[in-house]
Amino acid sequence: MSCVSCATLTPGLLDLDEARRRLLAAARPLVASETCPLDAALGRILAAPVHARLAMPGADNSAMDGYALRLVDLDTHPDGLPVIQRIPAGCAPAPLAEGSCARIFTGAPIPAGADCVIPQERCRLDARGRVHVHGEALPGANIRRRGEEYAEGAALLPVGQRLDAPALALLASQGIVEVEVAVHLRVALISTGDELVEPGTPLAQGQLYNSNRVMLRALLQQQGCEIVDLGIIADTASALREALSQARDCADVVICTGGVSAGEEDHVRPVLAELGELHFHGVAMKPGKPFAFGHLHRAGGDVPLLGLPGNPVASLVTWQVLGQAFVQACQGRRPRPLQRFPVKAGFSRRAPQGRCELLRVVLDCHEHEPVARLAGGQGSAMLGAACQADGYLMVPGDMPILEGNAYAFLPVAQFTV
């Protein structure tokens, strides 16, 4: 479902979902790969599929602590079954003699001849040490069958899988010690603006600390990117031209913040048009309207450029809903669709004008269902609300927010993967 209808779009602006679709269609995954030891593979992207070397489980085994036996012996030996062996995990059991049972523990292999495991809670040992079973017993009960999770040769993980802790555990369970992964995506990061200085530098009148650089470095590191930080670039066409040329020659993707609006000091679009091609500029979203996308021409393959707004919240939001998915696709991943589900608003607010508005909200879960409340000031430079927000309440253009009505909610947790 699109964020806004065509009738409510500001002319010349792309719908958010259409902008995302165009970005993903333009993404070209890396083809270079390298071998990586499993202990260093956290967060890496698989460049080749992985198949099971071993069946999982490798043998029929017990799902719990109890007694392994033949069901038929319960009827033929009403005076109880003697315990003739003890089977902990990791041992090789002897076949189960007829008319007997085995004490067995979780994960231990099932002895030949046994056809079920009875939990210890349903068993009683009499004075002679014989086992009596209470309740119904069924064939195959509490037995994990060999290969019931994976057969040998079965597909384990596909190309593009990001290796998290469970994935690494799965690979380790197969005895795998190294995997083929995509090389790190190199992203050149440029901050534009004469007003920007780095934290630690005394501020002069009219200057601002460069928060976007720290934020975007963290976001790119979170995605496993290699960052080429080109620092702060002056608001001149010549300085930006030199920086973009340098970025084009050393990176797979270029991201710049600021300078993408239509003012006299905004040089990203004209310089991009000079060095390459601007594919689109302007998305019907608030914050984030000035977002731009294009390519810098380079022999051997053009380099994509994402132009994020300079205001920090606008930069954050456009990265989350647009830029992150593009970067993931360039890494060879399959970006997930935006997660959204209806949540009632706990406030009223006037309609956004021709743009889908993404309000920073917290979820109040004290009622029988969650209610979205504003996290704080909604200005595109106000980071406080972004720090507190559980997600974004997505309000279509020209639709006023009425308390008690439900709107699409995008949890920010989806952007941490």
Side-chain angles (χ1 to χ4, degrees):
M1 177 180 179
S2 184
C3 176
V4 286
S5 69
C6 293
T8 61
L9 282 180
T10 299
L13 299 183
L14 279 181
D15 170 72
L16 169 58
D17 291 320
E18 174 62 16
R20 186 178 168 96
R21 186 196 67 76
R22 293 193 189 186
L23 282 169
L24 294 181
R28 297 293 177 264
L30 290 173
V31 295
S33 65
E34 60 188 8
T35 301
C36 180
L38 204 60
D39 286 345
L42 180 64
R44 301 300 296 270
I45 312 301
L46 278 180
V50 179
H51 293 83
R53 299 177 179 178
L54 308 170
M56 292 294 288
D60 291 356
N61 68 83
S62 179
M64 57 181 57
D65 295 348
Y67 294 87
L69 49 81
R70 290 184 179 85
L71 283 178
V72 66
D73 288 341
L74 293 177
D75 295 327
T76 58
H77 295 76
D79 57 342
L81 301 175
V83 181
I84 64 167
Q85 61 175 314
R86 184 178 183 274
I87 311 173
C91 80
L96 188 67
E98 186 176 339
S100 69
C101 67
R103 179 71 167 117
I104 197 166
F105 298 89
T106 303
I110 302 296
D115 57 13
C116 75
V117 173
I118 308 298
Q120 60 188 17
E121 295 83 2
R122 290 177 46 209
C123 296
R124 177 180 62 85
L125 283 174
D126 63 22
R128 298 173 300 162
R130 291 176 176 261
V131 172
H132 300 263
V133 174
H134 304 287
E136 185 180 21
L138 298 174
N142 304 307
I143 295 177
R144 301 167 178 151
R145 294 300 182 185
R146 182 182 188 277
E148 71 176 29
E149 182 180 9
Y150 292 108
E152 292 179 37
L156 283 184
L157 297 173
V159 172
Q161 172 83 38
R162 191 183 194 206
L163 297 175
D164 57 11
L168 293 176
L170 177 61
L171 296 173
S173 73
Q174 292 284 313
I176 293 171
V177 296
E178 60 183 23
V179 286
E180 192 71 14
V181 297
V183 298
H184 288 292
L185 188 75
R186 288 172 58 87
V187 179
L189 184 59
I190 296 172
S191 304
T192 69
D194 290 336
E195 76 280 12
L196 297 178
V197 296
E198 294 299 344
T201 304
L203 282 177
Q205 186 174 4
Q207 290 185 324
L208 299 171
Y209 285 125
N210 185 9
S211 59
N212 281 343
R213 172 183 172 273
V214 174
M215 177 177 69
L216 287 168
R217 282 185 63 91
L219 292 167
L220 289 166
Q221 288 168 352
Q222 191 177 73
Q223 296 302 312
C225 297
E226 180 182 339
I227 302 164
V228 181
D229 193 340
L230 298 182
I232 299 171
I233 305 302
D235 277 328
T236 66
S238 59
L240 183 60
R241 187 180 302 111
E242 181 180 351
L244 290 182
S245 298
Q246 181 182 354
R248 173 197 61 195
D249 294 337
C250 70
D252 305 303
V253 175
V254 178
I255 295 179
C256 63
T257 63
V260 290
S261 293
E264 294 180 4
E265 299 300 320
D266 295 313
H267 300 290
V268 170
R269 289 188 299 154
V271 172
L272 175 58
E274 177 186 338
L275 297 179
E277 183 179 0
L278 176 67
H279 300 308
F280 68 82
H281 172 253
V283 180
M285 60 185 290
K286 180 182 180 181
K289 172 185 171 183
F291 181 88
F293 173 64
H295 277 84
L296 297 164
H297 292 326
R298 182 179 70 182
D302 292 350
V303 178
L305 179 143
L306 304 179
L308 308 186
N311 279 319
V313 177
S315 186
L316 171 65
V317 173
T318 51
W319 163 261
Q320 289 175 327
V321 301
L322 294 172
Q324 177 175 296
F326 178 79
V327 164
Q328 289 178 345
C330 291
Q331 292 174 313
R333 299 174 65 182
R334 291 185 178 180
R336 299 176 181 176
L338 286 176
Q339 299 173 16
R340 40 188 137 185
F341 54 87
V343 171
K344 288 183 178 179
F347 57 93
S348 295
R349 187 178 172 92
R350 64 180 177 81
Q353 300 300 307
R355 288 188 282 161
C356 170
E357 187 166 15
L358 283 79
L359 297 169
R360 279 71 73 202
V361 297
V362 293
L363 293 185
D364 183 348
C365 298
H366 292 93
E367 305 296 332
H368 64 282
E369 60 181 342
V371 174
R373 305 195 187 281
L374 292 175
Q378 297 296 308
S380 59
M382 296 179 177
L383 284 167
C387 291
Q388 301 301 320
D390 295 316
Y392 304 116
L393 203 64
M394 181 182 274
V395 184
D398 297 328
M399 176 183 289
I401 303 172
L402 301 177
E403 184 173 357
N405 282 5
Y407 304 88
F409 172 79
L410 280 67
V412 293
Q414 69 183 296
F415 304 120
T416 61
V417 296

PDB file of all heavy atoms in Angstrom, residues 349-375:
ATOM      1  N   ARG A 349      -3.814  16.313  15.052  1.00  0.00           N
ATOM      2  CA  ARG A 349      -2.819  17.190  14.437  1.00  0.00           C
ATOM      3  C   ARG A 349      -3.310  17.558  13.047  1.00  0.00           C
ATOM      4  O   ARG A 349      -3.979  16.760  12.378  1.00  0.00           O
ATOM      5  CB  ARG A 349      -1.465  16.460  14.363  1.00  0.00           C
ATOM      6  CG  ARG A 349      -0.276  17.306  13.901  1.00  0.00           C
ATOM      7  CD  ARG A 349       0.969  16.434  13.932  1.00  0.00           C
ATOM      8  NE  ARG A 349       2.132  17.069  13.338  1.00  0.00           N
ATOM      9  CZ  ARG A 349       3.016  17.779  14.005  1.00  0.00           C
ATOM     10  NH1 ARG A 349       2.866  17.944  15.324  1.00  0.00           N
ATOM     11  NH2 ARG A 349       4.057  18.309  13.402  1.00  0.00           N
ATOM     12  N   ARG A 350      -2.982  18.757  12.605  1.00  0.00           N
ATOM     13  CA  ARG A 350      -3.428  19.191  11.286  1.00  0.00           C
ATOM     14  C   ARG A 350      -2.784  18.352  10.190  1.00  0.00           C
ATOM     15  O   ARG A 350      -1.749  17.714  10.388  1.00  0.00           O
ATOM     16  CB  ARG A 350      -3.099  20.670  11.079  1.00  0.00           C
ATOM     17  CG  ARG A 350      -1.624  20.997  11.063  1.00  0.00           C
ATOM     18  CD  ARG A 350      -1.408  22.487  10.843  1.00  0.00           C
ATOM     19  NE  ARG A 350       0.007  22.846  10.893  1.00  0.00           N
ATOM     20  CZ  ARG A 350       0.852  22.706   9.887  1.00  0.00           C
ATOM     21  NH1 ARG A 350       0.427  22.190   8.741  1.00  0.00           N
ATOM     22  NH2 ARG A 350       2.120  23.056  10.011  1.00  0.00           N
ATOM     23  N   ALA A 351      -3.391  18.388   9.021  1.00  0.00           N
ATOM     24  CA  ALA A 351      -2.938  17.560   7.915  1.00  0.00           C
ATOM     25  C   ALA A 351      -1.619  18.065   7.347  1.00  0.00           C
ATOM     26  O   ALA A 351      -1.412  19.271   7.236  1.00  0.00           O
ATOM     27  CB  ALA A 351      -3.993  17.552   6.812  1.00  0.00           C
ATOM     28  N   PRO A 352      -0.715  17.149   6.965  1.00  0.00           N
ATOM     29  CA  PRO A 352       0.469  17.560   6.210  1.00  0.00           C
ATOM     30  C   PRO A 352       0.038  18.011   4.816  1.00  0.00           C
ATOM     31  O   PRO A 352      -0.968  17.548   4.288  1.00  0.00           O
ATOM     32  CB  PRO A 352       1.307  16.288   6.148  1.00  0.00           C
ATOM     33  CG  PRO A 352       0.336  15.175   6.330  1.00  0.00           C
ATOM     34  CD  PRO A 352      -0.757  15.699   7.209  1.00  0.00           C
ATOM     35  N   GLN A 353       0.779  18.896   4.226  1.00  0.00           N
ATOM     36  CA  GLN A 353       0.394  19.478   2.940  1.00  0.00           C
ATOM     37  C   GLN A 353       1.080  18.751   1.782  1.00  0.00           C
ATOM     38  O   GLN A 353       2.225  19.023   1.453  1.00  0.00           O
ATOM     39  CB  GLN A 353       0.755  20.968   2.924  1.00  0.00           C
ATOM     40  CG  GLN A 353       0.071  21.787   4.002  1.00  0.00           C
ATOM     41  CD  GLN A 353      -1.445  21.737   3.878  1.00  0.00           C
ATOM     42  OE1 GLN A 353      -1.989  22.021   2.819  1.00  0.00           O
ATOM     43  NE2 GLN A 353      -2.112  21.365   4.960  1.00  0.00           N
ATOM     44  N   GLY A 354       0.344  17.829   1.174  1.00  0.00           N
ATOM     45  CA  GLY A 354       0.835  17.184  -0.034  1.00  0.00           C
ATOM     46  C   GLY A 354       1.981  16.220   0.153  1.00  0.00           C
ATOM     47  O   GLY A 354       2.591  15.795  -0.831  1.00  0.00           O
ATOM     48  N   ARG A 355       2.322  15.895   1.379  1.00  0.00           N
ATOM     49  CA  ARG A 355       3.420  14.958   1.634  1.00  0.00           C
ATOM     50  C   ARG A 355       3.034  13.993   2.737  1.00  0.00           C
ATOM     51  O   ARG A 355       2.323  14.360   3.670  1.00  0.00           O
ATOM     52  CB  ARG A 355       4.694  15.701   2.060  1.00  0.00           C
ATOM     53  CG  ARG A 355       5.377  16.463   0.959  1.00  0.00           C
ATOM     54  CD  ARG A 355       6.711  16.991   1.439  1.00  0.00           C
ATOM     55  NE  ARG A 355       6.585  18.184   2.264  1.00  0.00           N
ATOM     56  CZ  ARG A 355       7.540  18.621   3.082  1.00  0.00           C
ATOM     57  NH1 ARG A 355       8.665  17.933   3.214  1.00  0.00           N
ATOM     58  NH2 ARG A 355       7.376  19.716   3.786  1.00  0.00           N
ATOM     59  N   CYS A 356       3.503  12.776   2.625  1.00  0.00           N
ATOM     60  CA  CYS A 356       3.341  11.805   3.692  1.00  0.00           C
ATOM     61  C   CYS A 356       4.234  12.230   4.864  1.00  0.00           C
ATOM     62  O   CYS A 356       5.432  12.456   4.690  1.00  0.00           O
ATOM     63  CB  CYS A 356       3.758  10.432   3.180  1.00  0.00           C
ATOM     64  SG  CYS A 356       3.892   9.171   4.428  1.00  0.00           S
ATOM     65  N   GLU A 357       3.644  12.349   6.047  1.00  0.00           N
ATOM     66  CA  GLU A 357       4.423  12.783   7.211  1.00  0.00           C
ATOM     67  C   GLU A 357       4.741  11.593   8.095  1.00  0.00           C
ATOM     68  O   GLU A 357       3.875  10.778   8.405  1.00  0.00           O
ATOM     69  CB  GLU A 357       3.654  13.838   8.007  1.00  0.00           C
ATOM     70  CG  GLU A 357       4.494  14.453   9.124  1.00  0.00           C
ATOM     71  CD  GLU A 357       3.885  15.715   9.696  1.00  0.00           C
ATOM     72  OE1 GLU A 357       2.689  15.979   9.456  1.00  0.00           O
ATOM     73  OE2 GLU A 357       4.608  16.448  10.400  1.00  0.00           O
ATOM     74  N   LEU A 358       6.000  11.501   8.493  1.00  0.00           N
ATOM     75  CA  LEU A 358       6.445  10.437   9.387  1.00  0.00           C
ATOM     76  C   LEU A 358       6.737  11.064  10.745  1.00  0.00           C
ATOM     77  O   LEU A 358       7.791  11.672  10.953  1.00  0.00           O
ATOM     78  CB  LEU A 358       7.689   9.734   8.840  1.00  0.00           C
ATOM     79  CG  LEU A 358       7.437   8.737   7.689  1.00  0.00           C
ATOM     80  CD1 LEU A 358       7.246   9.465   6.373  1.00  0.00           C
ATOM     81  CD2 LEU A 358       8.578   7.744   7.564  1.00  0.00           C
ATOM     82  N   LEU A 359       5.777  10.923  11.651  1.00  0.00           N
ATOM     83  CA  LEU A 359       5.874  11.535  12.972  1.00  0.00           C
ATOM     84  C   LEU A 359       6.612  10.613  13.917  1.00  0.00           C
ATOM     85  O   LEU A 359       6.332   9.406  13.972  1.00  0.00           O
ATOM     86  CB  LEU A 359       4.478  11.834  13.510  1.00  0.00           C
ATOM     87  CG  LEU A 359       3.653  12.851  12.707  1.00  0.00           C
ATOM     88  CD1 LEU A 359       2.208  12.851  13.185  1.00  0.00           C
ATOM     89  CD2 LEU A 359       4.267  14.245  12.835  1.00  0.00           C
ATOM     90  N   ARG A 360       7.563  11.151  14.671  1.00  0.00           N
ATOM     91  CA  ARG A 360       8.283  10.354  15.654  1.00  0.00           C
ATOM     92  C   ARG A 360       7.390  10.163  16.875  1.00  0.00           C
ATOM     93  O   ARG A 360       6.972  11.136  17.517  1.00  0.00           O
ATOM     94  CB  ARG A 360       9.583  11.056  16.046  1.00  0.00           C
ATOM     95  CG  ARG A 360      10.712  10.854  15.049  1.00  0.00           C
ATOM     96  CD  ARG A 360      10.529  11.570  13.738  1.00  0.00           C
ATOM     97  NE  ARG A 360      10.730  13.014  13.867  1.00  0.00           N
ATOM     98  CZ  ARG A 360      10.237  13.908  13.023  1.00  0.00           C
ATOM     99  NH1 ARG A 360       9.480  13.534  12.003  1.00  0.00           N
ATOM    100  NH2 ARG A 360      10.467  15.201  13.203  1.00  0.00           N
ATOM    101  N   VAL A 361       7.079   8.906  17.183  1.00  0.00           N
ATOM    102  CA  VAL A 361       6.126   8.611  18.252  1.00  0.00           C
ATOM    103  C   VAL A 361       6.674   7.532  19.176  1.00  0.00           C
ATOM    104  O   VAL A 361       7.548   6.743  18.806  1.00  0.00           O
ATOM    105  CB  VAL A 361       4.754   8.150  17.690  1.00  0.00           C
ATOM    106  CG1 VAL A 361       4.100   9.249  16.871  1.00  0.00           C
ATOM    107  CG2 VAL A 361       4.905   6.879  16.854  1.00  0.00           C
ATOM    108  N   VAL A 362       6.130   7.520  20.387  1.00  0.00           N
ATOM    109  CA  VAL A 362       6.362   6.418  21.323  1.00  0.00           C
ATOM    110  C   VAL A 362       5.047   5.674  21.487  1.00  0.00           C
ATOM    111  O   VAL A 362       3.965   6.247  21.315  1.00  0.00           O
ATOM    112  CB  VAL A 362       6.862   6.925  22.695  1.00  0.00           C
ATOM    113  CG1 VAL A 362       8.248   7.522  22.563  1.00  0.00           C
ATOM    114  CG2 VAL A 362       5.901   7.940  23.289  1.00  0.00           C
ATOM    115  N   LEU A 363       5.134   4.392  21.787  1.00  0.00           N
ATOM    116  CA  LEU A 363       3.934   3.583  21.984  1.00  0.00           C
ATOM    117  C   LEU A 363       3.597   3.532  23.468  1.00  0.00           C
ATOM    118  O   LEU A 363       4.424   3.135  24.289  1.00  0.00           O
ATOM    119  CB  LEU A 363       4.132   2.168  21.448  1.00  0.00           C
ATOM    120  CG  LEU A 363       4.293   2.034  19.933  1.00  0.00           C
ATOM    121  CD1 LEU A 363       4.352   0.558  19.545  1.00  0.00           C
ATOM    122  CD2 LEU A 363       3.165   2.732  19.192  1.00  0.00           C
ATOM    123  N   ASP A 364       2.386   3.931  23.789  1.00  0.00           N
ATOM    124  CA  ASP A 364       1.861   3.832  25.145  1.00  0.00           C
ATOM    125  C   ASP A 364       1.090   2.523  25.232  1.00  0.00           C
ATOM    126  O   ASP A 364       0.048   2.354  24.602  1.00  0.00           O
ATOM    127  CB  ASP A 364       0.944   5.028  25.418  1.00  0.00           C
ATOM    128  CG  ASP A 364       0.397   5.039  26.840  1.00  0.00           C
ATOM    129  OD1 ASP A 364       0.529   4.021  27.534  1.00  0.00           O
ATOM    130  OD2 ASP A 364      -0.171   6.073  27.250  1.00  0.00           O
ATOM    131  N   CYS A 365       1.630   1.582  25.992  1.00  0.00           N
ATOM    132  CA  CYS A 365       1.044   0.232  26.058  1.00  0.00           C
ATOM    133  C   CYS A 365       0.297  -0.018  27.364  1.00  0.00           C
ATOM    134  O   CYS A 365       0.101  -1.171  27.761  1.00  0.00           O
ATOM    135  CB  CYS A 365       2.138  -0.817  25.862  1.00  0.00           C
ATOM    136  SG  CYS A 365       2.953  -0.712  24.248  1.00  0.00           S
ATOM    137  N   HIS A 366      -0.116   1.040  28.035  1.00  0.00           N
ATOM    138  CA  HIS A 366      -0.831   0.871  29.293  1.00  0.00           C
ATOM    139  C   HIS A 366      -2.282   0.455  29.081  1.00  0.00           C
ATOM    140  O   HIS A 366      -2.916  -0.097  29.977  1.00  0.00           O
ATOM    141  CB  HIS A 366      -0.768   2.164  30.116  1.00  0.00           C
ATOM    142  CG  HIS A 366       0.603   2.483  30.629  1.00  0.00           C
ATOM    143  ND1 HIS A 366       1.478   3.302  29.952  1.00  0.00           N
ATOM    144  CD2 HIS A 366       1.264   2.059  31.736  1.00  0.00           C
ATOM    145  CE1 HIS A 366       2.610   3.389  30.626  1.00  0.00           C
ATOM    146  NE2 HIS A 366       2.509   2.643  31.714  1.00  0.00           N
ATOM    147  N   GLU A 367      -2.836   0.737  27.911  1.00  0.00           N
ATOM    148  CA  GLU A 367      -4.208   0.349  27.612  1.00  0.00           C
ATOM    149  C   GLU A 367      -4.229  -1.070  27.049  1.00  0.00           C
ATOM    150  O   GLU A 367      -3.198  -1.740  26.953  1.00  0.00           O
ATOM    151  CB  GLU A 367      -4.817   1.336  26.617  1.00  0.00           C
ATOM    152  CG  GLU A 367      -4.744   2.801  27.060  1.00  0.00           C
ATOM    153  CD  GLU A 367      -5.555   3.067  28.326  1.00  0.00           C
ATOM    154  OE1 GLU A 367      -6.548   2.344  28.552  1.00  0.00           O
ATOM    155  OE2 GLU A 367      -5.195   3.987  29.075  1.00  0.00           O
ATOM    156  N   HIS A 368      -5.423  -1.512  26.642  1.00  0.00           N
ATOM    157  CA  HIS A 368      -5.539  -2.872  26.115  1.00  0.00           C
ATOM    158  C   HIS A 368      -4.910  -3.004  24.734  1.00  0.00           C
ATOM    159  O   HIS A 368      -4.684  -4.118  24.249  1.00  0.00           O
ATOM    160  CB  HIS A 368      -7.012  -3.302  26.074  1.00  0.00           C
ATOM    161  CG  HIS A 368      -7.861  -2.489  25.145  1.00  0.00           C
ATOM    162  ND1 HIS A 368      -8.330  -1.231  25.482  1.00  0.00           N
ATOM    163  CD2 HIS A 368      -8.308  -2.736  23.884  1.00  0.00           C
ATOM    164  CE1 HIS A 368      -9.043  -0.741  24.478  1.00  0.00           C
ATOM    165  NE2 HIS A 368      -9.036  -1.625  23.497  1.00  0.00           N
ATOM    166  N   GLU A 369      -4.660  -1.876  24.070  1.00  0.00           N
ATOM    167  CA  GLU A 369      -3.942  -1.884  22.802  1.00  0.00           C
ATOM    168  C   GLU A 369      -3.022  -0.663  22.760  1.00  0.00           C
ATOM    169  O   GLU A 369      -3.315   0.358  23.386  1.00  0.00           O
ATOM    170  CB  GLU A 369      -4.911  -1.872  21.620  1.00  0.00           C
ATOM    171  CG  GLU A 369      -5.839  -0.686  21.560  1.00  0.00           C
ATOM    172  CD  GLU A 369      -6.795  -0.767  20.372  1.00  0.00           C
ATOM    173  OE1 GLU A 369      -6.512  -1.540  19.435  1.00  0.00           O
ATOM    174  OE2 GLU A 369      -7.814  -0.068  20.389  1.00  0.00           O
ATOM    175  N   PRO A 370      -1.898  -0.742  22.027  1.00  0.00           N
ATOM    176  CA  PRO A 370      -0.956   0.379  22.028  1.00  0.00           C
ATOM    177  C   PRO A 370      -1.551   1.626  21.398  1.00  0.00           C
ATOM    178  O   PRO A 370      -2.345   1.556  20.454  1.00  0.00           O
ATOM    179  CB  PRO A 370       0.234  -0.146  21.219  1.00  0.00           C
ATOM    180  CG  PRO A 370      -0.318  -1.258  20.395  1.00  0.00           C
ATOM    181  CD  PRO A 370      -1.416  -1.869  21.197  1.00  0.00           C
ATOM    182  N   VAL A 371      -1.129   2.769  21.911  1.00  0.00           N
ATOM    183  CA  VAL A 371      -1.536   4.065  21.396  1.00  0.00           C
ATOM    184  C   VAL A 371      -0.266   4.866  21.108  1.00  0.00           C
ATOM    185  O   VAL A 371       0.663   4.887  21.921  1.00  0.00           O
ATOM    186  CB  VAL A 371      -2.432   4.816  22.405  1.00  0.00           C
ATOM    187  CG1 VAL A 371      -2.723   6.235  21.920  1.00  0.00           C
ATOM    188  CG2 VAL A 371      -3.732   4.049  22.629  1.00  0.00           C
ATOM    189  N   ALA A 372      -0.223   5.517  19.942  1.00  0.00           N
ATOM    190  CA  ALA A 372       0.944   6.312  19.565  1.00  0.00           C
ATOM    191  C   ALA A 372       0.822   7.723  20.132  1.00  0.00           C
ATOM    192  O   ALA A 372      -0.212   8.382  19.974  1.00  0.00           O
ATOM    193  CB  ALA A 372       1.072   6.369  18.050  1.00  0.00           C
ATOM    194  N   ARG A 373       1.889   8.174  20.786  1.00  0.00           N
ATOM    195  CA  ARG A 373       1.939   9.540  21.303  1.00  0.00           C
ATOM    196  C   ARG A 373       3.210  10.207  20.775  1.00  0.00           C
ATOM    197  O   ARG A 373       4.240   9.546  20.604  1.00  0.00           O
ATOM    198  CB  ARG A 373       1.907   9.539  22.826  1.00  0.00           C
ATOM    199  CG  ARG A 373       0.708   8.779  23.401  1.00  0.00           C
ATOM    200  CD  ARG A 373       0.475   9.076  24.867  1.00  0.00           C
ATOM    201  NE  ARG A 373      -0.577   8.223  25.427  1.00  0.00           N
ATOM    202  CZ  ARG A 373      -1.878   8.438  25.263  1.00  0.00           C
ATOM    203  NH1 ARG A 373      -2.284   9.492  24.571  1.00  0.00           N
ATOM    204  NH2 ARG A 373      -2.765   7.610  25.795  1.00  0.00           N
ATOM    205  N   LEU A 374       3.130  11.499  20.530  1.00  0.00           N
ATOM    206  CA  LEU A 374       4.286  12.212  19.999  1.00  0.00           C
ATOM    207  C   LEU A 374       5.470  12.084  20.947  1.00  0.00           C
ATOM    208  O   LEU A 374       5.327  12.243  22.164  1.00  0.00           O
ATOM    209  CB  LEU A 374       3.936  13.681  19.772  1.00  0.00           C
ATOM    210  CG  LEU A 374       2.932  13.970  18.653  1.00  0.00           C
ATOM    211  CD1 LEU A 374       2.582  15.454  18.630  1.00  0.00           C
ATOM    212  CD2 LEU A 374       3.476  13.523  17.298  1.00  0.00           C
ATOM    213  N   ALA A 375       6.640  11.812  20.375  1.00  0.00           N
ATOM    214  CA  ALA A 375       7.842  11.620  21.189  1.00  0.00           C
ATOM    215  C   ALA A 375       8.475  12.939  21.597  1.00  0.00           C
ATOM    216  O   ALA A 375       9.376  12.957  22.440  1.00  0.00           O
ATOM    217  CB  ALA A 375       8.855  10.778  20.423  1.00  0.00           C
TER     218      ALA A 375
END
